[in-house]
Amino acid sequence: MTKDGVEDIVKRYSYIGQAMKDGKEPAVFYIGRRKQVVDITEETIAVCKIIEEIYSHANEWVRNMIDGLKKGKSDMTLICMLPWERNAYYARKRKFIEKIYNCCIFQDMVDYDDILNEEI
């Protein structure tokens, strides 16, 4: 699992979560007339569980942000909906994704080489 993989799961969580509820193995959906296929692997399921755990430990506004991301709302919609400015929203979203990634590291889902290859 890479940080880009975590970002992709967060970005497409609404489709992945629905496919997991429906019991579909690959999540198949269309974004702008382009077919997207996301394999639901053990890592994908683990990242979704991590998102739920972070959600249960977050404050009210961060929960609202996570709810919006889970529903597939755009960043601009969330910025208008939440009481944060644009920079504050993106800082919190970045921290959220980093927290998911750190939990993936803790659960040994990230290779040592991937950690070393991360840009500084």
Side-chain angles (χ1 to χ4, degrees), residues 32-114:
R33 295 187 183 183
R34 292 185 184 216
K35 185 176 182 178
Q36 303 280 325
V37 178
V38 176
D39 292 326
I40 298 177
T41 63
E42 293 298 322
E43 287 183 340
T44 307
I45 295 169
V47 170
C48 292
K49 287 181 183 177
I50 290 169
I51 290 171
E52 294 301 323
E53 289 175 12
I54 292 171
Y55 179 84
S56 67
H57 290 90
N59 64 34
E60 178 185 355
W61 292 112
V62 175
R63 284 185 182 188
N64 290 338
M65 179 187 74
I66 295 171
D67 280 337
L69 291 171
K70 285 167 53 174
K71 291 177 183 175
K73 292 185 179 179
S74 69
D75 288 341
M76 296 314 298
T77 302
L78 291 173
I79 289 169
C80 292
M81 187 177 82
L82 295 168
W84 303 322
E85 294 293 325
R86 182 175 176 263
N87 291 339
Y89 168 76
Y90 283 115
R92 284 179 177 88
K93 183 178 176 183
R94 185 174 55 251
K95 285 181 183 180
F96 172 62
I97 290 172
E98 287 175 5
K99 185 175 263 194
I100 295 169
Y101 188 67
N102 289 337
C103 291
C104 290
I105 290 172
F106 180 76
Q107 293 183 358
D108 292 330
M109 293 169 49
V110 180
D111 293 333
Y112 185 70
D113 292 334
D114 290 337

Side-chain angles (χ1 to χ4, degrees), residues 19-31:
M20 286 175 26
K21 286 180 186 175
D22 294 342
K24 297 178 181 175
E25 179 53 35
V28 180
F29 51 92
Y30 289 88
I31 306 278

